[in-house]
Amino acid sequence: MALDNQDKTPGKGVWKSGTGKGRRHPKGRQLQDDAWDQVRALLGDAPRRRDLLIEYLHLVQDRYGHLSAAHLRALAEEMRLSMAEVYEVATFYAHFDVVKEGETPPPAQTIRVCDSLSCELAGAQALKSALEEGLDPAEVRVLRAPCMGRCDTAPVLEIGHNHLDFATPEMVRDAIATGDTHTHVPAYQAYADYAAQGGYETLTSLRDGGDWDAVQSKVAASGLRGLGGAGFPSGKKWGFVRGNPGPRYLAVNGDEGEPGTFKDRYYLERVPHLFLEGMLIAAWAVEAETAFIYMRDEYPAVIEILRREIRALEEAGIVAPGYVDLRRGAGAYICGEESAMIESIEGKRGMPRHRPPYVAQVGVFDRPTLVHNVETLHWVARVCREGPDVLSGTERNGRKGLRSYSVSGRVANPGVHLLPAGSTITDIIEAAGGMAQGHVFKAYQPGGPSSGLLPASIDDVPLDFDTLQPLGSFIGSAAVVVLSDQDSARAAALNMLRFFEDESCGQCTPCRVGCEKAVKLMQADRWDQPLLEELSQAMVDASICGLGQAAPNPIRLVMKHFADEI
Protein backbone atom coordinates (compact mmCIF):
# COMPACT_ATOMS: atom_id res chain seq x y z
CA MET A 1 0.00 0.00 0.00
CA ALA A 2 1.30 3.45 -0.88
CA LEU A 3 2.10 5.82 1.98
CA ASP A 4 -0.42 8.35 0.70
CA ASN A 5 -3.17 5.77 1.18
CA GLN A 6 -2.38 5.06 4.91
CA ASP A 7 -4.89 6.03 7.57
CA LYS A 8 -3.75 9.36 9.04
CA THR A 9 -6.23 9.26 11.95
CA PRO A 10 -4.50 10.51 15.13
CA GLY A 11 -3.51 7.71 17.50
CA LYS A 12 -3.39 5.04 14.80
CA GLY A 13 -0.75 3.70 12.44
CA VAL A 14 2.96 4.36 12.91
CA TRP A 15 2.60 7.20 15.40
CA LYS A 16 1.02 6.45 18.77
CA SER A 17 -0.59 8.87 21.13
CA GLY A 18 0.71 9.53 24.66
CA THR A 19 -2.03 7.30 26.06
CA GLY A 20 -0.36 4.04 25.00
CA LYS A 21 1.14 1.31 27.18
CA GLY A 22 4.23 3.24 28.32
CA ARG A 23 5.28 2.85 32.00
CA ARG A 24 4.22 5.38 34.56
CA HIS A 25 6.97 4.22 36.94
CA PRO A 26 10.37 2.58 36.55
CA LYS A 27 10.68 -1.17 37.04
CA GLY A 28 11.06 -2.63 40.52
CA ARG A 29 9.93 -1.49 43.96
CA GLN A 30 8.81 2.10 44.14
CA LEU A 31 10.30 4.56 46.58
CA GLN A 32 7.90 5.46 49.39
CA ASP A 33 8.30 8.94 50.79
CA ASP A 34 7.46 8.02 54.37
CA ALA A 35 10.02 5.18 54.44
CA TRP A 36 12.60 7.45 52.84
CA ASP A 37 12.00 10.12 55.49
CA GLN A 38 12.40 7.51 58.25
CA VAL A 39 15.70 6.23 56.83
CA ARG A 40 17.07 9.75 56.42
CA ALA A 41 16.12 10.53 60.02
CA LEU A 42 17.96 7.44 61.24
CA LEU A 43 21.11 8.19 59.25
CA GLY A 44 21.15 11.87 60.15
CA ASP A 45 24.41 13.54 59.15
CA ALA A 46 26.33 10.25 58.83
CA PRO A 47 28.25 9.83 55.56
CA ARG A 48 26.50 7.79 52.85
CA ARG A 49 29.52 5.55 52.23
CA ARG A 50 29.09 2.11 50.71
CA ASP A 51 31.15 0.43 53.42
CA LEU A 52 28.69 1.60 56.10
CA LEU A 53 25.76 -0.35 54.63
CA ILE A 54 25.75 -3.01 57.37
CA GLU A 55 25.91 -0.36 60.09
CA TYR A 56 22.87 1.34 58.58
CA LEU A 57 21.00 -1.95 58.23
CA HIS A 58 21.54 -2.37 61.97
CA LEU A 59 20.04 1.07 62.59
CA VAL A 60 16.87 0.14 60.76
CA GLN A 61 16.66 -3.36 62.31
CA ASP A 62 17.16 -1.98 65.84
CA ARG A 63 14.58 0.76 65.37
CA TYR A 64 11.80 -1.18 63.65
CA GLY A 65 12.55 -4.79 64.61
CA HIS A 66 12.89 -5.89 60.98
CA LEU A 67 13.92 -4.69 57.53
CA SER A 68 10.86 -3.96 55.43
CA ALA A 69 11.05 -3.90 51.65
CA ALA A 70 10.11 -0.21 51.77
CA HIS A 71 13.01 0.60 54.11
CA LEU A 72 15.46 -1.40 52.02
CA ARG A 73 14.32 0.48 48.93
CA ALA A 74 14.72 3.79 50.74
CA LEU A 75 18.18 2.86 52.01
CA ALA A 76 19.22 1.91 48.49
CA GLU A 77 18.01 5.30 47.24
CA GLU A 78 19.74 7.20 50.02
CA MET A 79 23.07 5.42 49.47
CA ARG A 80 22.85 5.45 45.67
CA LEU A 81 22.99 1.66 45.52
CA SER A 82 20.94 -0.83 43.57
CA MET A 83 18.17 -2.61 45.44
CA ALA A 84 19.90 -5.89 44.58
CA GLU A 85 23.09 -4.83 46.39
CA VAL A 86 21.23 -3.88 49.55
CA TYR A 87 19.01 -6.97 49.46
CA GLU A 88 21.84 -9.46 48.96
CA VAL A 89 23.72 -8.04 51.95
CA ALA A 90 20.65 -7.90 54.20
CA THR A 91 19.68 -11.50 53.47
CA PHE A 92 23.21 -12.86 53.97
CA TYR A 93 23.39 -12.16 57.71
CA ALA A 94 21.36 -14.09 60.30
CA HIS A 95 20.55 -11.11 62.52
CA PHE A 96 18.67 -9.18 59.84
CA ASP A 97 14.97 -9.96 59.34
CA VAL A 98 13.92 -9.04 55.80
CA VAL A 99 10.15 -8.70 55.41
CA LYS A 100 8.68 -8.44 51.92
CA GLU A 101 5.35 -6.89 50.97
CA GLY A 102 2.46 -8.95 52.30
CA GLU A 103 4.60 -10.81 54.84
CA THR A 104 4.03 -10.59 58.58
CA PRO A 105 6.87 -8.93 60.53
CA PRO A 106 8.42 -10.97 63.34
CA PRO A 107 7.03 -10.55 66.87
CA ALA A 108 8.34 -7.74 69.00
CA GLN A 109 10.38 -10.18 71.09
CA THR A 110 12.94 -12.71 69.81
CA ILE A 111 14.62 -15.43 71.86
CA ARG A 112 17.70 -17.10 70.43
CA VAL A 113 18.63 -20.39 72.10
CA CYS A 114 22.24 -21.48 71.64
CA ASP A 115 22.56 -24.99 70.21
CA SER A 116 26.34 -25.35 70.24
CA LEU A 117 27.85 -28.56 71.60
CA SER A 118 28.33 -27.23 75.15
CA CYS A 119 24.76 -25.94 75.34
CA GLU A 120 23.36 -29.11 73.80
CA LEU A 121 25.14 -31.14 76.47
CA ALA A 122 23.49 -28.88 79.05
CA GLY A 123 19.95 -29.41 77.70
CA ALA A 124 19.48 -26.65 75.13
CA GLN A 125 17.06 -28.70 73.00
CA ALA A 126 14.76 -29.36 75.95
CA LEU A 127 14.93 -25.67 76.87
CA LYS A 128 14.00 -24.61 73.34
CA SER A 129 11.08 -27.06 73.24
CA ALA A 130 9.78 -25.83 76.60
CA LEU A 131 9.91 -22.23 75.43
CA GLU A 132 8.11 -23.03 72.16
CA GLU A 133 5.34 -24.80 74.05
CA GLY A 134 4.99 -22.22 76.81
CA LEU A 135 5.10 -18.93 74.90
CA ASP A 136 2.66 -17.31 72.49
CA PRO A 137 4.34 -17.38 69.04
CA ALA A 138 2.42 -14.25 68.06
CA GLU A 139 4.26 -12.34 70.78
CA VAL A 140 7.57 -14.16 71.09
CA ARG A 141 9.49 -16.15 68.52
CA VAL A 142 12.00 -18.79 69.58
CA LEU A 143 14.95 -19.46 67.28
CA ARG A 144 17.96 -21.73 67.41
CA ALA A 145 21.27 -19.90 67.23
CA PRO A 146 24.94 -20.81 66.93
CA CYS A 147 27.46 -20.39 69.75
CA MET A 148 27.11 -17.17 71.75
CA GLY A 149 30.54 -17.39 73.39
CA ARG A 150 29.15 -18.17 76.84
CA CYS A 151 29.84 -21.92 76.93
CA ASP A 152 30.94 -21.79 80.57
CA THR A 153 27.36 -20.91 81.62
CA ALA A 154 25.43 -23.31 79.37
CA PRO A 155 22.63 -23.48 78.46
CA VAL A 156 22.46 -19.89 77.25
CA LEU A 157 19.89 -17.85 75.39
CA GLU A 158 19.55 -14.24 74.30
CA ILE A 159 16.27 -12.36 74.73
CA GLY A 160 16.52 -9.06 72.93
CA HIS A 161 20.09 -8.10 73.79
CA ASN A 162 20.09 -9.68 77.25
CA HIS A 163 21.94 -12.97 77.68
CA LEU A 164 20.57 -15.37 80.28
CA ASP A 165 23.18 -17.75 81.70
CA PHE A 166 22.13 -21.19 82.99
CA ALA A 167 18.83 -20.33 81.36
CA THR A 168 15.46 -21.77 82.38
CA PRO A 169 11.89 -21.10 81.14
CA GLU A 170 11.15 -19.36 84.43
CA MET A 171 14.00 -16.91 83.90
CA VAL A 172 12.64 -16.12 80.44
CA ARG A 173 9.15 -15.46 81.76
CA ASP A 174 10.58 -13.14 84.43
CA ALA A 175 12.65 -11.24 81.86
CA ILE A 176 9.61 -10.75 79.63
CA ALA A 177 7.42 -9.66 82.54
CA THR A 178 9.95 -7.07 83.74
CA GLY A 179 11.04 -5.95 80.27
CA ASP A 180 14.62 -7.00 81.03
CA THR A 181 15.76 -7.37 77.43
CA HIS A 182 18.60 -4.86 77.33
CA THR A 183 22.36 -5.38 77.46
CA HIS A 184 23.96 -5.80 80.88
CA VAL A 185 27.50 -4.39 80.96
CA PRO A 186 29.72 -6.11 83.57
CA ALA A 187 32.22 -4.31 85.76
CA TYR A 188 35.52 -3.78 83.96
CA GLN A 189 38.73 -1.73 84.13
CA ALA A 190 37.94 1.63 82.54
CA TYR A 191 40.44 4.07 81.01
CA ALA A 192 41.11 6.14 84.13
CA ASP A 193 42.06 3.11 86.22
CA TYR A 194 44.18 1.59 83.45
CA ALA A 195 46.03 4.86 82.84
CA ALA A 196 46.64 5.30 86.58
CA GLN A 197 48.46 1.95 86.57
CA GLY A 198 50.80 2.95 83.75
CA GLY A 199 48.55 2.15 80.86
CA TYR A 200 49.50 3.67 77.49
CA GLU A 201 52.96 4.71 78.73
CA THR A 202 54.48 2.06 76.47
CA LEU A 203 52.49 3.28 73.48
CA THR A 204 53.44 6.91 74.18
CA SER A 205 57.16 6.10 74.46
CA LEU A 206 57.06 4.15 71.19
CA ARG A 207 55.32 7.00 69.42
CA ASP A 208 57.94 9.44 70.77
CA GLY A 209 60.85 7.61 69.17
CA GLY A 210 60.44 3.87 69.24
CA ASP A 211 61.91 1.50 66.68
CA TRP A 212 59.18 -0.66 65.16
CA ASP A 213 61.73 -3.26 64.06
CA ALA A 214 62.95 -3.64 67.64
CA VAL A 215 59.38 -4.07 68.84
CA GLN A 216 58.76 -6.66 66.15
CA SER A 217 61.86 -8.54 67.30
CA LYS A 218 60.63 -8.42 70.90
CA VAL A 219 57.26 -9.86 69.90
CA ALA A 220 58.99 -12.56 67.85
CA ALA A 221 61.26 -13.43 70.80
CA SER A 222 58.22 -14.01 72.98
CA GLY A 223 57.03 -16.74 70.63
CA LEU A 224 53.62 -15.08 70.25
CA ARG A 225 51.56 -16.60 67.44
CA GLY A 226 48.13 -15.76 66.10
CA LEU A 227 45.59 -16.83 68.72
CA GLY A 228 42.55 -16.76 66.49
CA GLY A 229 43.40 -20.25 65.31
CA ALA A 230 45.92 -19.94 62.47
CA GLY A 231 48.98 -19.66 64.71
CA PHE A 232 51.05 -17.52 62.33
CA PRO A 233 54.05 -15.85 64.07
CA SER A 234 52.64 -12.47 65.05
CA GLY A 235 55.69 -10.25 64.61
CA LYS A 236 56.37 -11.43 61.05
CA LYS A 237 53.09 -9.95 59.81
CA TRP A 238 54.23 -6.42 60.58
CA GLY A 239 57.15 -6.56 58.17
CA PHE A 240 54.97 -8.02 55.41
CA VAL A 241 52.45 -5.18 55.72
CA ARG A 242 55.07 -2.44 56.00
CA GLY A 243 56.76 -3.81 52.90
CA ASN A 244 53.81 -2.60 50.83
CA PRO A 245 53.22 1.08 50.06
CA GLY A 246 50.54 2.93 52.03
CA PRO A 247 47.97 3.84 52.94
CA ARG A 248 47.77 0.84 55.26
CA TYR A 249 45.10 -0.35 57.67
CA LEU A 250 44.77 -2.56 60.71
CA ALA A 251 41.74 -4.84 61.15
CA VAL A 252 40.98 -6.62 64.41
CA ASN A 253 39.18 -9.92 64.05
CA GLY A 254 36.75 -9.92 66.98
CA ASP A 255 34.35 -12.37 65.36
CA GLU A 256 34.94 -15.09 67.94
CA GLY A 257 32.46 -17.49 66.39
CA GLU A 258 34.19 -20.87 66.75
CA PRO A 259 31.81 -22.84 69.02
CA GLY A 260 33.31 -23.40 72.44
CA THR A 261 35.47 -20.25 72.29
CA PHE A 262 34.95 -17.36 74.71
CA LYS A 263 38.45 -16.21 75.72
CA ASP A 264 38.28 -12.94 73.76
CA ARG A 265 35.00 -12.02 75.44
CA TYR A 266 36.49 -12.96 78.82
CA TYR A 267 39.37 -10.49 78.43
CA LEU A 268 37.35 -7.71 76.78
CA GLU A 269 34.74 -7.75 79.54
CA ARG A 270 37.47 -7.35 82.16
CA VAL A 271 40.57 -5.57 80.82
CA PRO A 272 39.65 -4.04 77.44
CA HIS A 273 42.50 -1.52 77.48
CA LEU A 274 45.21 -4.18 77.37
CA PHE A 275 43.74 -5.15 74.01
CA LEU A 276 43.28 -1.52 72.90
CA GLU A 277 46.85 -0.57 73.74
CA GLY A 278 48.16 -3.66 71.96
CA MET A 279 46.07 -2.73 68.94
CA LEU A 280 47.44 0.81 68.88
CA ILE A 281 51.02 -0.48 69.20
CA ALA A 282 50.48 -2.77 66.20
CA ALA A 283 48.82 0.08 64.28
CA TRP A 284 51.81 2.31 65.07
CA ALA A 285 54.20 -0.40 63.90
CA VAL A 286 52.65 -0.60 60.42
CA GLU A 287 51.69 3.10 60.25
CA ALA A 288 48.01 2.23 59.85
CA GLU A 289 45.77 5.14 58.85
CA THR A 290 42.71 3.56 60.52
CA ALA A 291 42.22 0.71 62.98
CA PHE A 292 39.03 -1.26 62.33
CA ILE A 293 37.58 -3.44 65.08
CA TYR A 294 35.13 -6.03 63.75
CA MET A 295 33.13 -7.32 66.72
CA ARG A 296 30.52 -10.05 66.57
CA ASP A 297 26.93 -8.99 67.17
CA GLU A 298 26.52 -11.75 69.76
CA TYR A 299 28.68 -9.66 72.13
CA PRO A 300 26.49 -6.58 72.79
CA ALA A 301 28.12 -5.89 76.17
CA VAL A 302 31.59 -5.91 74.60
CA ILE A 303 30.42 -3.57 71.84
CA GLU A 304 29.11 -1.13 74.44
CA ILE A 305 32.35 -1.34 76.46
CA LEU A 306 34.42 -0.63 73.37
CA ARG A 307 32.20 2.30 72.38
CA ARG A 308 32.68 3.87 75.81
CA GLU A 309 36.41 3.26 76.01
CA ILE A 310 37.18 4.35 72.44
CA ARG A 311 35.37 7.58 73.28
CA ALA A 312 37.52 7.87 76.43
CA LEU A 313 40.68 7.42 74.35
CA GLU A 314 39.55 10.17 71.99
CA GLU A 315 38.79 12.53 74.87
CA ALA A 316 42.20 11.79 76.41
CA GLY A 317 43.95 12.55 73.14
CA ILE A 318 45.36 9.02 72.78
CA VAL A 319 43.72 8.69 69.36
CA ALA A 320 42.14 11.15 66.97
CA PRO A 321 38.35 11.02 66.66
CA GLY A 322 37.40 8.33 64.16
CA TYR A 323 40.84 6.69 64.09
CA VAL A 324 39.40 3.55 65.72
CA ASP A 325 36.42 2.43 63.64
CA LEU A 326 34.22 -0.06 65.51
CA ARG A 327 32.16 -2.27 63.21
CA ARG A 328 29.35 -4.56 64.31
CA GLY A 329 28.95 -7.99 62.76
CA ALA A 330 25.52 -9.36 61.98
CA GLY A 331 25.59 -13.07 62.70
CA ALA A 332 27.88 -14.89 60.27
CA TYR A 333 30.50 -17.39 61.46
CA ILE A 334 32.28 -17.18 58.12
CA CYS A 335 33.33 -13.61 58.94
CA GLY A 336 35.88 -15.08 61.33
CA GLU A 337 37.87 -15.85 58.17
CA GLU A 338 40.03 -12.78 57.65
CA SER A 339 39.15 -12.02 54.03
CA ALA A 340 35.43 -12.59 54.68
CA MET A 341 35.70 -10.19 57.62
CA ILE A 342 37.28 -7.60 55.33
CA GLU A 343 34.44 -8.01 52.84
CA SER A 344 32.01 -7.38 55.70
CA ILE A 345 33.95 -4.30 56.86
CA GLU A 346 33.46 -3.00 53.32
CA GLY A 347 29.70 -3.44 53.72
CA LYS A 348 29.39 -6.57 51.59
CA ARG A 349 28.42 -10.19 52.06
CA GLY A 350 31.06 -11.97 54.12
CA MET A 351 32.42 -14.28 51.46
CA PRO A 352 36.08 -15.37 51.56
CA ARG A 353 38.35 -14.08 48.84
CA HIS A 354 40.53 -16.22 46.64
CA ARG A 355 44.19 -15.95 47.56
CA PRO A 356 46.72 -14.77 46.50
CA PRO A 357 46.79 -11.82 46.78
CA TYR A 358 46.89 -11.95 50.58
CA VAL A 359 45.38 -9.33 52.86
CA ALA A 360 48.84 -8.04 53.80
CA GLN A 361 48.96 -6.79 50.21
CA VAL A 362 45.29 -6.32 49.27
CA GLY A 363 43.05 -5.97 52.30
CA VAL A 364 40.52 -3.35 53.39
CA PHE A 365 39.67 -1.12 50.43
CA ASP A 366 42.35 -3.01 48.46
CA ARG A 367 45.10 -1.61 50.66
CA PRO A 368 47.75 -3.48 52.72
CA THR A 369 46.09 -4.59 55.94
CA LEU A 370 47.40 -6.07 59.18
CA VAL A 371 44.89 -8.51 60.70
CA HIS A 372 45.18 -9.64 64.31
CA ASN A 373 42.97 -11.52 66.75
CA VAL A 374 41.80 -9.84 69.98
CA GLU A 375 43.79 -12.04 72.37
CA THR A 376 46.91 -11.72 70.20
CA LEU A 377 46.83 -7.93 70.70
CA HIS A 378 46.18 -8.41 74.43
CA TRP A 379 49.54 -10.21 74.57
CA VAL A 380 51.27 -7.66 72.31
CA ALA A 381 50.60 -5.05 75.00
CA ARG A 382 51.90 -7.30 77.77
CA VAL A 383 55.02 -8.35 75.83
CA CYS A 384 55.87 -4.73 75.01
CA ARG A 385 55.34 -3.70 78.62
CA GLU A 386 56.77 -6.70 80.51
CA GLY A 387 59.20 -8.18 77.99
CA PRO A 388 59.25 -11.44 76.00
CA ASP A 389 59.64 -13.56 79.14
CA VAL A 390 56.01 -12.98 80.05
CA LEU A 391 55.35 -15.70 77.48
CA SER A 392 58.64 -17.39 76.66
CA GLY A 393 59.57 -17.72 80.34
CA THR A 394 56.98 -20.49 80.87
CA GLU A 395 57.84 -23.99 79.72
CA ARG A 396 56.08 -27.34 80.06
CA ASN A 397 56.47 -30.60 78.17
CA GLY A 398 59.01 -28.97 75.89
CA ARG A 399 56.61 -26.20 74.86
CA LYS A 400 57.07 -22.52 75.69
CA GLY A 401 54.39 -19.92 76.36
CA LEU A 402 50.91 -19.59 77.84
CA ARG A 403 47.54 -20.46 76.38
CA SER A 404 44.06 -19.24 77.31
CA TYR A 405 41.96 -22.40 77.15
CA SER A 406 38.19 -21.92 76.91
CA VAL A 407 37.00 -25.00 78.81
CA SER A 408 33.39 -26.20 78.88
CA GLY A 409 31.35 -29.38 78.85
CA ARG A 410 31.48 -32.05 81.54
CA VAL A 411 33.94 -30.36 83.91
CA ALA A 412 33.34 -29.04 87.41
CA ASN A 413 34.47 -25.45 86.78
CA PRO A 414 34.09 -24.34 83.15
CA GLY A 415 35.78 -21.09 82.19
CA VAL A 416 38.93 -19.53 80.75
CA HIS A 417 42.04 -21.11 82.25
CA LEU A 418 45.45 -19.57 81.58
CA LEU A 419 47.89 -22.48 81.56
CA PRO A 420 51.30 -23.38 80.11
CA ALA A 421 51.11 -24.04 76.38
CA GLY A 422 52.40 -27.57 76.97
CA SER A 423 49.37 -28.57 79.03
CA THR A 424 47.68 -31.86 78.21
CA ILE A 425 43.96 -32.53 78.40
CA THR A 426 44.58 -34.11 81.81
CA ASP A 427 46.15 -30.85 83.04
CA ILE A 428 43.27 -28.82 81.63
CA ILE A 429 40.57 -30.98 83.23
CA GLU A 430 42.44 -30.77 86.54
CA ALA A 431 42.61 -26.97 86.26
CA ALA A 432 38.85 -26.96 85.63
CA GLY A 433 38.22 -28.78 88.92
CA GLY A 434 38.12 -32.26 87.45
CA MET A 435 35.17 -33.94 85.82
CA ALA A 436 31.66 -32.95 86.82
CA GLN A 437 30.14 -35.16 89.49
CA GLY A 438 28.97 -38.48 88.13
CA HIS A 439 30.80 -38.17 84.81
CA VAL A 440 33.72 -40.20 83.49
CA PHE A 441 36.04 -38.68 80.87
CA LYS A 442 35.37 -40.09 77.39
CA ALA A 443 36.41 -37.63 74.67
CA TYR A 444 37.31 -34.01 74.01
CA GLN A 445 37.22 -31.35 71.35
CA PRO A 446 40.66 -29.66 71.53
CA GLY A 447 40.02 -26.52 69.46
CA GLY A 448 36.43 -26.03 68.35
CA PRO A 449 34.38 -28.15 65.92
CA SER A 450 37.03 -27.68 63.25
CA SER A 451 39.43 -29.77 65.35
CA GLY A 452 37.06 -32.75 65.62
CA LEU A 453 36.99 -35.18 68.56
CA LEU A 454 39.81 -37.07 70.24
CA PRO A 455 39.37 -40.00 72.66
CA ALA A 456 40.27 -39.86 76.36
CA SER A 457 43.08 -42.33 75.69
CA ILE A 458 45.05 -39.56 73.92
CA ASP A 459 45.77 -37.69 77.12
CA ASP A 460 49.52 -37.10 76.99
CA VAL A 461 49.81 -34.76 73.99
CA PRO A 462 50.36 -31.04 74.70
CA LEU A 463 47.46 -28.96 73.41
CA ASP A 464 49.53 -26.44 71.51
CA PHE A 465 50.42 -25.39 67.98
CA ASP A 466 51.83 -28.13 65.73
CA THR A 467 51.35 -30.97 68.24
CA LEU A 468 47.94 -32.24 67.17
CA GLN A 469 48.34 -32.24 63.38
CA PRO A 470 49.79 -35.80 63.36
CA LEU A 471 46.52 -36.88 65.00
CA GLY A 472 44.38 -35.26 62.30
CA SER A 473 43.44 -32.35 64.59
CA PHE A 474 44.80 -28.96 65.69
CA ILE A 475 44.59 -26.57 68.63
CA GLY A 476 42.82 -23.78 66.72
CA SER A 477 41.32 -21.29 69.17
CA ALA A 478 41.91 -23.63 72.17
CA ALA A 479 38.18 -24.20 72.65
CA VAL A 480 38.17 -27.36 74.75
CA VAL A 481 34.84 -29.16 75.19
CA VAL A 482 34.97 -32.26 77.41
CA LEU A 483 32.59 -35.18 76.86
CA SER A 484 31.80 -37.97 79.31
CA ASP A 485 30.60 -41.56 79.28
CA GLN A 486 27.04 -40.17 79.20
CA ASP A 487 27.58 -38.51 75.81
CA SER A 488 27.61 -39.77 72.24
CA ALA A 489 30.59 -38.98 70.03
CA ARG A 490 28.38 -39.66 67.01
CA ALA A 491 25.79 -37.10 68.17
CA ALA A 492 28.55 -34.58 68.94
CA ALA A 493 29.95 -34.92 65.42
CA LEU A 494 26.49 -34.45 63.93
CA ASN A 495 26.05 -31.30 66.02
CA MET A 496 29.31 -29.95 64.58
CA LEU A 497 28.41 -30.74 60.96
CA ARG A 498 24.98 -29.17 61.33
CA PHE A 499 26.75 -26.04 62.48
CA PHE A 500 29.02 -26.06 59.41
CA GLU A 501 26.04 -26.74 57.14
CA ASP A 502 24.21 -23.74 58.54
CA GLU A 503 27.22 -21.41 58.51
CA SER A 504 28.66 -22.22 55.08
CA CYS A 505 28.59 -19.01 53.05
CA GLY A 506 27.56 -21.02 49.99
CA GLN A 507 30.21 -19.59 47.70
CA CYS A 508 31.91 -22.88 46.81
CA THR A 509 30.14 -26.11 45.95
CA PRO A 510 32.40 -28.52 47.89
CA CYS A 511 31.57 -26.81 51.18
CA ARG A 512 27.96 -25.84 50.49
CA VAL A 513 26.86 -29.22 49.13
CA GLY A 514 29.42 -31.27 51.05
CA CYS A 515 28.23 -30.15 54.50
CA GLU A 516 24.59 -30.75 53.57
CA LYS A 517 25.36 -34.20 52.15
CA ALA A 518 27.47 -35.12 55.18
CA VAL A 519 24.64 -34.28 57.59
CA LYS A 520 22.26 -36.53 55.67
CA LEU A 521 24.74 -39.41 55.60
CA MET A 522 25.50 -39.03 59.31
CA GLN A 523 21.81 -39.38 60.21
CA ALA A 524 21.70 -42.94 58.85
CA ASP A 525 21.65 -45.83 61.33
CA ARG A 526 24.99 -46.99 59.94
CA TRP A 527 27.43 -44.57 58.39
CA ASP A 528 28.58 -45.23 54.83
CA GLN A 529 32.22 -44.76 55.78
CA PRO A 530 33.81 -45.08 52.32
CA LEU A 531 31.40 -42.50 50.91
CA LEU A 532 31.91 -40.17 53.86
CA GLU A 533 35.69 -40.43 53.45
CA GLU A 534 35.43 -39.69 49.73
CA LEU A 535 33.21 -36.70 50.47
CA SER A 536 35.60 -35.48 53.17
CA GLN A 537 38.58 -35.62 50.83
CA ALA A 538 36.72 -33.65 48.17
CA MET A 539 35.87 -30.94 50.70
CA VAL A 540 39.45 -30.74 51.95
CA ASP A 541 40.90 -30.55 48.45
CA ALA A 542 38.47 -28.15 46.80
CA SER A 543 36.94 -25.80 49.39
CA ILE A 544 37.99 -22.16 49.14
CA CYS A 545 38.54 -21.48 52.83
CA GLY A 546 39.16 -23.19 56.15
CA LEU A 547 35.49 -23.81 56.92
CA GLY A 548 35.04 -26.42 54.22
CA GLN A 549 38.60 -27.70 54.56
CA ALA A 550 38.24 -28.42 58.30
CA ALA A 551 34.57 -29.43 58.42
CA PRO A 552 35.34 -33.14 57.74
CA ASN A 553 37.58 -33.45 60.83
CA PRO A 554 34.73 -34.50 63.17
CA ILE A 555 33.64 -37.14 60.65
CA ARG A 556 37.10 -38.62 60.17
CA LEU A 557 38.02 -38.67 63.85
CA VAL A 558 34.75 -40.30 64.92
CA MET A 559 35.22 -42.98 62.24
CA LYS A 560 38.76 -43.53 63.51
CA HIS A 561 38.27 -43.48 67.27
CA PHE A 562 34.58 -44.22 67.87
CA ALA A 563 33.77 -46.75 65.17
CA ASP A 564 31.58 -48.74 67.56
CA GLU A 565 29.05 -45.87 67.61
CA ILE A 566 28.55 -45.63 63.83
Side-chain angles (χ1 to χ4, degrees), residues 25 52 90 174 234 371 491 539 545:
H25 303 287
L52 294 173
D174 289 344
S234 299
V371 177
M539 293 173 67
C545 80

Side-chain angles (χ1 to χ4, degrees), residues 316-331:
I318 301 293
V319 296
Y323 179 77
V324 181
D325 193 338
L326 178 61
R327 297 298 180 90
R328 177 180 166 191

Side-chain angles (χ1 to χ4, degrees), residues 255-424:
D255 198 72
E256 188 178 45
E258 189 74 18
T261 315
F262 48 95
K263 59 186 177 60
D264 289 355
R265 179 186 63 81
Y266 175 87
Y267 288 120
L268 288 171
E269 288 185 347
R270 289 162 176 79
V271 285
H273 282 281
L274 266 175
F275 151 69
L276 288 169
E277 184 170 14
M279 178 193 73
L280 293 175
I281 289 172
W284 161 82
V286 298
E287 298 178 341
E289 290 201 356
T290 302
F292 295 94
I293 302 177
Y294 187 89
M295 187 56 56
R296 67 186 310 222
D297 198 32
E298 290 85 350
Y299 287 176
V302 169
I303 292 173
E304 179 57 29
I305 289 170
L306 290 175
R307 282 175 179 156
R308 294 177 185 179
E309 299 313 305
I310 291 169
R311 191 180 310 120
L313 291 179
E314 293 174 347
E315 291 171 354
I318 301 293
V319 296
Y323 179 77
V324 181
D325 193 338
L326 178 61
R327 297 298 180 90
R328 177 180 166 191
Y333 165 74
I334 192 63
C335 290
E337 197 277 337
E338 62 178 7
S339 66
M341 174 195 68
I342 287 172
E343 289 287 296
S344 193
I345 288 174
E346 294 178 356
K348 306 171 186 174
R349 294 177 295 169
M351 288 192 167
R353 297 175 178 177
H354 292 269
R355 290 172 289 184
Y358 296 95
V359 299
Q361 302 166 292
V362 182
V364 179
F365 307 136
D366 296 331
R367 302 307 308 164
T369 302
L370 175 65
V371 177
H372 273 314
N373 162 263
V374 168
E375 193 201 354
T376 304
L377 293 169
H378 171 98
W379 285 108
V380 165
R382 290 198 59 182
V383 167
C384 290
R385 178 189 294 185
E386 304 171 43
D389 283 352
V390 69
L391 283 176
S392 61
T394 300
E395 185 172 351
R396 183 178 179 83
N397 291 328
R399 312 294 299 182
K400 290 186 176 182
L402 295 168
R403 292 303 302 263
S404 302
Y405 295 98
S406 304
V407 188
S408 61
R410 307 300 193 180
V411 293
N413 299 313
V416 173
H417 297 276
L418 184 62
L419 301 171
S423 298
T424 64

Side-chain angles (χ1 to χ4, degrees), residues 4 93 164 199 304 316 395 480:
D4 290 344
Y93 297 93
L164 299 183
E304 179 57 29
E395 185 172 351
V480 181

